[in-house]
């Protein structure tokens, strides 16, 4: 497991799941430990260690519990419908499996989108780079820099042909809305 690994946890989902709310504190604690184990498992969302499914004895060892207590808590969680069991008998989290499916789909779509961008950059970038010689690159660079600097200087030092209008001596006629404000009443 890498240092950057994190797991989404929504307190509103945890507190708002009626099936989970009917379970005891101990069963909910076991479920959180199981979620953490399932997050690190491959495939994500399945209660597995390597390629082996985790049985009650192994789960008891991993969670510092007794096999008898773990079996009782697993039965409580299963009766409440908190987790599912696949055809091979492996416990899995429906939500975690669904999120993993969405994540893989998003990664696939993102990779496809960015690979198109990279292909376009490679296609257009290399064609232009091959047609330019080192001398022309330097010349074009100097020309573009000097033209940009010249335009910026001209813009800064440009003096208008006439002075802007001066309205400082004109009388002020406030609008009706301005007269209704507290500022002009005083």
């Amino acid at each position: 497991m890498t240092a950057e690994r994190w797991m989404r946890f929504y307190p509103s989902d945890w507190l708002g799941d009626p099936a989970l709310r009917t379970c005891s504190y101990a069963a909910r604690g076991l479920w959180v430990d199981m979620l953490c184990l399932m997050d690190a498992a491959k495939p994500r969302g399945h209660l597995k260690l390597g390629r082996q499914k985790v049985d009650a004895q192994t789960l008891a060892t991993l969670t510092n519990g007794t096999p008898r207590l773990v079996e009782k808590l697993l039965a409580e969680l299963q009766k409440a419908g908190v987790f599912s069991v696949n055809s091979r008998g492996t416990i899995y989290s429906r939500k975690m499996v669904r999120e993993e499916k969405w994540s893989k789909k998003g990664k696939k779509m993102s990779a496809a989108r960015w690979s198109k961008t990279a292909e376009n950059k490679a296609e257009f970038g290399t064609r232009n780079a091959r047609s330019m010689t080192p001398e022309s690159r330097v010349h074009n660079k100097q020309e573009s820099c000097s033209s940009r600097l010249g335009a910026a200087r001209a813009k800064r030092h440009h003096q208008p042909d006439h002075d802007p209008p001066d309205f400082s001596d004109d009388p002020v006629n406030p609008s009706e809305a301005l007269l209704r404000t507290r500022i002009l009443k005083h």
Side-chain angles (χ1 to χ4, degrees), residues 33-53:
D33 281 355
M34 290 168 65
L35 286 173
C36 293
L37 292 168
M38 287 186 270
D39 182 64
K42 293 206 188 250
R44 185 175 177 266
H46 291 77
L47 190 58
K48 294 179 106 179
L49 278 177
R51 296 178 149 232
Q52 299 295 317
K53 70 177 186 174

Tab-separated table of all heavy atoms in Angstrom, residues 33-53:
chain	number	residue	atom	x	y	z
A	33	ASP	N	-13.462	-2.013	10.025
A	33	ASP	CA	-12.207	-2.737	9.792
A	33	ASP	C	-12.261	-3.512	8.472
A	33	ASP	O	-11.288	-3.548	7.719
A	33	ASP	CB	-11.921	-3.708	10.948
A	33	ASP	CG	-11.345	-3.014	12.175
A	33	ASP	OD1	-11.080	-1.790	12.100
A	33	ASP	OD2	-11.175	-3.689	13.207
A	34	MET	N	-13.398	-4.113	8.199
A	34	MET	CA	-13.549	-4.849	6.947
A	34	MET	C	-13.454	-3.908	5.745
A	34	MET	O	-12.836	-4.255	4.727
A	34	MET	CB	-14.890	-5.595	6.936
A	34	MET	CG	-14.948	-6.764	7.908
A	34	MET	SD	-16.615	-7.425	8.136
A	34	MET	CE	-16.997	-8.065	6.518
A	35	LEU	N	-14.046	-2.726	5.854
A	35	LEU	CA	-13.953	-1.747	4.767
A	35	LEU	C	-12.498	-1.368	4.495
A	35	LEU	O	-12.074	-1.244	3.342
A	35	LEU	CB	-14.771	-0.496	5.089
A	35	LEU	CG	-16.280	-0.625	4.998
A	35	LEU	CD1	-16.951	0.646	5.523
A	35	LEU	CD2	-16.741	-0.935	3.592
A	36	CYS	N	-11.736	-1.175	5.559
A	36	CYS	CA	-10.318	-0.830	5.398
A	36	CYS	C	-9.558	-1.968	4.719
A	36	CYS	O	-8.710	-1.723	3.857
A	36	CYS	CB	-9.693	-0.498	6.751
A	36	CYS	SG	-10.336	1.011	7.483
A	37	LEU	N	-9.850	-3.194	5.103
A	37	LEU	CA	-9.208	-4.347	4.466
A	37	LEU	C	-9.638	-4.468	3.003
A	37	LEU	O	-8.815	-4.765	2.125
A	37	LEU	CB	-9.553	-5.636	5.221
A	37	LEU	CG	-8.952	-5.768	6.619
A	37	LEU	CD1	-9.589	-6.922	7.368
A	37	LEU	CD2	-7.444	-5.933	6.540
A	38	MET	N	-10.911	-4.228	2.729
A	38	MET	CA	-11.416	-4.325	1.356
A	38	MET	C	-10.845	-3.222	0.470
A	38	MET	O	-10.666	-3.416	-0.732
A	38	MET	CB	-12.949	-4.274	1.340
A	38	MET	CG	-13.588	-5.539	1.855
A	38	MET	SD	-15.374	-5.533	1.659
A	38	MET	CE	-15.890	-4.817	3.190
A	39	ASP	N	-10.561	-2.070	1.050
A	39	ASP	CA	-10.001	-0.974	0.274
A	39	ASP	C	-8.607	-1.323	-0.227
A	39	ASP	O	-8.226	-0.953	-1.327
A	39	ASP	CB	-9.963	0.311	1.116
A	39	ASP	CG	-9.440	1.483	0.327
A	39	ASP	OD1	-10.099	1.869	-0.661
A	39	ASP	OD2	-8.353	1.994	0.677
A	40	ALA	N	-7.859	-2.053	0.592
A	40	ALA	CA	-6.493	-2.421	0.218
A	40	ALA	C	-6.434	-3.698	-0.612
A	40	ALA	O	-5.385	-4.038	-1.142
A	40	ALA	CB	-5.658	-2.596	1.484
A	41	ALA	N	-7.548	-4.413	-0.743
A	41	ALA	CA	-7.567	-5.697	-1.438
A	41	ALA	C	-7.606	-5.538	-2.945
A	41	ALA	O	-7.945	-4.476	-3.463
A	41	ALA	CB	-8.777	-6.507	-0.980
A	42	LYS	N	-7.248	-6.611	-3.627
A	42	LYS	CA	-7.376	-6.651	-5.078
A	42	LYS	C	-8.231	-7.845	-5.409
A	42	LYS	O	-7.856	-8.949	-5.051
A	42	LYS	CB	-6.011	-6.771	-5.728
A	42	LYS	CG	-5.184	-5.545	-5.523
A	42	LYS	CD	-4.180	-5.399	-6.621
A	42	LYS	CE	-3.262	-4.311	-6.299
A	42	LYS	NZ	-3.049	-3.182	-6.726
A	43	PRO	N	-9.347	-7.676	-6.050
A	43	PRO	CA	-9.928	-6.426	-6.508
A	43	PRO	C	-10.485	-5.617	-5.347
A	43	PRO	O	-10.938	-6.175	-4.349
A	43	PRO	CB	-11.037	-6.877	-7.456
A	43	PRO	CG	-11.419	-8.232	-6.992
A	43	PRO	CD	-10.177	-8.833	-6.419
A	44	ARG	N	-10.430	-4.308	-5.494
A	44	ARG	CA	-10.873	-3.404	-4.447
A	44	ARG	C	-12.347	-3.662	-4.143
A	44	ARG	O	-13.156	-3.845	-5.031
A	44	ARG	CB	-10.687	-1.953	-4.884
A	44	ARG	CG	-11.015	-0.963	-3.809
A	44	ARG	CD	-10.701	0.455	-4.246
A	44	ARG	NE	-11.097	1.379	-3.218
A	44	ARG	CZ	-12.274	1.995	-3.183
A	44	ARG	NH1	-13.156	1.802	-4.125
A	44	ARG	NH2	-12.559	2.819	-2.205
A	45	GLY	N	-12.679	-3.662	-2.858
A	45	GLY	CA	-14.054	-3.850	-2.430
A	45	GLY	C	-14.369	-5.274	-2.010
A	45	GLY	O	-15.428	-5.537	-1.462
A	46	HIS	N	-13.439	-6.209	-2.264
A	46	HIS	CA	-13.637	-7.610	-1.894
A	46	HIS	C	-12.773	-7.930	-0.679
A	46	HIS	O	-11.629	-7.489	-0.593
A	46	HIS	CB	-13.259	-8.531	-3.055
A	46	HIS	CG	-14.199	-8.431	-4.204
A	46	HIS	ND1	-14.176	-7.374	-5.085
A	46	HIS	CD2	-15.203	-9.238	-4.607
A	46	HIS	CE1	-15.117	-7.544	-5.992
A	46	HIS	NE2	-15.766	-8.669	-5.723
A	47	LEU	N	-13.302	-8.705	0.248
A	47	LEU	CA	-12.576	-9.070	1.469
A	47	LEU	C	-11.657	-10.239	1.143
A	47	LEU	O	-12.033	-11.406	1.271
A	47	LEU	CB	-13.552	-9.419	2.592
A	47	LEU	CG	-12.947	-9.582	3.982
A	47	LEU	CD1	-12.225	-8.309	4.412
A	47	LEU	CD2	-14.018	-9.935	4.989
A	48	LYS	N	-10.438	-9.886	0.687
A	48	LYS	CA	-9.460	-10.883	0.277
A	48	LYS	C	-8.080	-10.493	0.786
A	48	LYS	O	-7.778	-9.312	0.940
A	48	LYS	CB	-9.404	-10.999	-1.245
A	48	LYS	CG	-10.659	-11.527	-1.879
A	48	LYS	CD	-10.530	-11.590	-3.371
A	48	LYS	CE	-10.356	-13.017	-3.761
A	48	LYS	NZ	-10.242	-13.200	-5.209
A	49	LEU	N	-7.267	-11.505	1.026
A	49	LEU	CA	-5.837	-11.314	1.306
A	49	LEU	C	-5.097	-12.004	0.182
A	49	LEU	O	-5.127	-13.229	0.083
A	49	LEU	CB	-5.437	-11.931	2.643
A	49	LEU	CG	-5.713	-11.116	3.876
A	49	LEU	CD1	-5.320	-11.894	5.125
A	49	LEU	CD2	-4.981	-9.795	3.853
A	50	GLY	N	-4.483	-11.227	-0.669
A	50	GLY	CA	-3.869	-11.796	-1.861
A	50	GLY	C	-4.956	-12.364	-2.745
A	50	GLY	O	-5.879	-11.670	-3.134
A	51	ARG	N	-4.868	-13.686	-3.038
A	51	ARG	CA	-5.885	-14.326	-3.872
A	51	ARG	C	-6.893	-15.117	-3.046
A	51	ARG	O	-7.814	-15.703	-3.593
A	51	ARG	CB	-5.211	-15.250	-4.882
A	51	ARG	CG	-4.336	-14.484	-5.837
A	51	ARG	CD	-3.624	-15.403	-6.799
A	51	ARG	NE	-3.450	-14.681	-8.039
A	51	ARG	CZ	-3.809	-15.137	-9.210
A	51	ARG	NH1	-4.349	-16.316	-9.331
A	51	ARG	NH2	-3.619	-14.423	-10.289
A	52	GLN	N	-6.703	-15.132	-1.736
A	52	GLN	CA	-7.554	-15.943	-0.865
A	52	GLN	C	-8.647	-15.107	-0.224
A	52	GLN	O	-8.391	-13.983	0.224
A	52	GLN	CB	-6.713	-16.595	0.243
A	52	GLN	CG	-5.629	-17.516	-0.256
A	52	GLN	CD	-6.194	-18.732	-0.960
A	52	GLN	OE1	-7.158	-19.329	-0.495
A	52	GLN	NE2	-5.612	-19.078	-2.105
A	53	LYS	N	-9.864	-15.652	-0.164
A	53	LYS	CA	-10.935	-14.969	0.553
A	53	LYS	C	-10.637	-15.067	2.045
A	53	LYS	O	-9.961	-15.984	2.503
A	53	LYS	CB	-12.302	-15.540	0.201
A	53	LYS	CG	-12.564	-16.920	0.733
A	53	LYS	CD	-13.966	-17.363	0.384
A	53	LYS	CE	-14.256	-18.706	1.051
A	53	LYS	NZ	-15.602	-19.129	0.873
